Amino acid sequence: MDFDALYKNCVQCPRKCGVDRVENTGFCREPADLRIAFAGLHFGEEPLVIVFGGSGTIFFTGCTLRCAFCQNYQISQDGLGRVVDRAEFVDICLKLQTAGAENINLVTGSHHIPLIAEFLRAARDGGVTIPFCWNSSAYETVEMLELLKGLVTIWLPDLKTLDGNLSKGLFAAPDYPQVATTAISWMIKNNPLEIKAIPEPPNAKPAEWAEPGQPRDKILSGVIVRHLFMPGKFEETAQVLEWLKENADGRAIISLMNQYTPVPFKETREQLKARRRALSSIENRLVNAQEFEDIQDLIEAYDFNYLYYQELSDDTSWLPDFTRPQPFSNKLATPIWHC
């Protein structure tokens, strides 16, 4: 693969900014080098993903979307992270596997798909046997996703909105609805659901959602489509669920999240001013009880074959701080590597 050609005039993501990332940075704010901020076992993903050992998350620096409300803004937008080469990447994957990870969860790597694909092949050759999981905004081209075919078997795409005006305001991507639905349709078509019941091992980590001593379901292949309900945007969520019912029900798992949380951004005055302008597209607050009831009614009406949804909570202690070696609570994650 000619990496220089892919990075010299970068059109990897749908923005197709054409920047020479060997010498500069693109919209994603990343050069041709791959940077990582954190790796560790994560226990806050869907039960099918974390099972017994947790998901072995690797958080990449940079992003093709840069949502105004991003809880990971320190790494997705503000550049926190360190360059890793192929050998170090493989070593991180092996450490996660040794620590008991159920999968290698690649978080927000859409701007580095060619290089990540090469690193994944090296990880397989180096002894990584657990599944690779692609965790992204779905703002990706099918051409780039094809490079991950046969390497990634578990997909965790977001479907943030089907309203081009909202996506334009929140992340300057009016084409997001069309791009994301095309990408998700490709993922579903190429990755049929495969779920296996795994017997509980000795000394298994307790889970609130599982009965002690019982097997737990594990996803080996397939797609979990995530949608974050944004306060005051019930119609948006109804529209997304309508699309998912028609295009994904029975072939993918739906995960409806209501954890939208105002982030205490630590940025310059100008950065905060620009962010407030973008956030004016929504109501920047926690989800309220009435909205939660309405969401439950909506879920019941659609009667999805396989759907997760979060219980309502006003706890904001889960918000990560990636400047710390342990960005999360000890209950939520076990650090393995930090930049």
Side-chain angles (χ1 to χ4, degrees):
M1 186 181 298
D2 188 351
F3 286 99
D4 282 346
L6 289 167
Y7 283 90
K8 278 281 189 182
N9 178 33
C10 189
V11 292
Q12 291 181 42
C13 90
R15 295 189 188 275
K16 300 188 183 300
C17 62
V19 171
D20 179 356
R21 287 173 59 191
V22 176
E23 301 293 336
N24 300 291
T25 60
F27 179 92
C28 59
R29 298 183 180 175
E30 288 302 298
D33 294 318
L34 185 69
R35 296 200 297 155
I36 292 173
F38 171 81
L41 300 179
H42 201 289
F43 297 94
E45 308 284 40
E46 288 81 1
L48 285 171
V49 178
I50 59 175
V51 200
F52 293 107
S55 186
T57 49
I58 298 177
F59 287 81
F60 297 104
T61 306
C63 183
T64 62
L65 211 54
R66 301 215 307 259
C67 300
F69 51 82
C70 182
Q71 68 192 44
N72 298 340
Y73 77 99
Q74 295 164 314
I75 58 177
S76 64
Q77 301 172 22
D78 288 356
L80 181 65
R82 169 169 79 73
V83 173
V84 298
D85 60 14
R86 181 190 305 152
E88 187 170 12
F89 178 86
V90 173
D91 184 61
I92 291 170
C93 290
L94 288 171
K95 286 178 177 175
L96 289 168
Q97 179 172 272
T98 300
E102 303 283 353
N103 45 68
I104 303 296
N105 188 338
L106 308 157
V107 184
T108 316
S110 307
H111 51 297
H112 266 305
I113 290 178
L115 196 55
I116 291 173
E118 180 188 272
F119 284 12
L120 296 185
R121 283 189 287 271
R124 279 281 179 257
D125 292 342
V128 176
T129 59
I130 57 178
F132 290 118
C133 173
W134 191 253
N135 188 334
S136 77
S137 68
Y139 194 59
E140 299 153 327
T141 67
V142 168
E143 180 185 13
M144 287 294 106
L145 293 177
E146 286 280 352
L147 300 180
L148 298 171
K149 197 172 181 178
L151 293 167
V152 172
T153 56
I154 303 169
W155 302 77
L156 305 179
D158 293 336
L159 184 51
K160 296 177 183 293
T161 180
L162 293 178
D163 185 331
N165 289 325
L166 185 60
S167 63
K168 179 180 179 180
L170 285 173
F171 28 86
D175 61 341
Y176 175 83
Q178 179 181 357
V179 169
T181 52
T182 299
I184 290 169
S185 296
W186 179 93
M187 295 173 190
I188 294 172
K189 179 182 177 181
N190 288 280
N191 299 274
L193 274 175
E194 182 182 355
I195 298 171
K196 182 179 181 180
I198 307 295
E200 182 178 277
N203 304 316
K205 183 182 177 71
E208 295 175 359
W209 44 267
E211 292 185 25
Q214 297 301 307
R216 298 182 193 176
D217 285 347
K218 176 177 180 175
I219 185 169
L220 301 178
S221 171
V223 182
I224 301 176
V225 186
R226 294 166 162 176
H227 173 67
L228 175 66
F229 171 74
M230 287 177 274
K233 293 294 180 180
F234 180 81
E235 296 283 334
E236 305 297 330
T237 289
Q239 188 179 19
V240 167
L241 291 182
E242 179 73 27
W243 187 90
L244 290 172
K245 183 65 180 179
E246 182 177 345
N247 296 279
D249 191 28
R251 297 187 295 141
I253 293 158
I254 313 304
S255 181
L256 185 55
M257 303 180 291
N258 58 44
Q259 65 186 25
Y260 183 93
T261 304
V263 178
F265 296 102
K266 296 177 182 178
E267 296 179 310
T268 67
R269 182 176 298 179
E270 286 303 309
Q271 286 175 314
L272 289 173
K273 184 178 179 181
R275 196 176 292 279
R276 279 195 294 269
R277 278 200 303 270
L279 286 172
S280 67
S281 301
I282 58 174
E283 297 177 24
N284 189 30
R285 57 170 174 79
L286 295 173
V287 176
N288 63 41
Q290 183 58 59
E291 287 172 323
F292 182 65
E293 288 184 20
D294 292 342
I295 290 171
Q296 288 180 304
D297 289 342
L298 193 61
I299 291 170
E300 186 175 341
Y302 279 112
D303 189 28
F304 282 96
N305 184 58
Y306 208 143
L307 178 142
Y308 292 112
Y309 73 93
Q310 291 176 318
E311 295 294 339
L312 187 64
S313 172
D314 59 2
D315 178 23
T316 62
S317 63
W318 57 269
L319 284 172
D321 180 359
F322 287 95
T323 64
R324 304 180 310 186
Q326 168 56 301
F328 305 94
S329 69
N330 290 330
K331 179 182 178 181
L332 200 59
T334 302
I336 298 294
W337 185 97
H338 187 264
C339 62

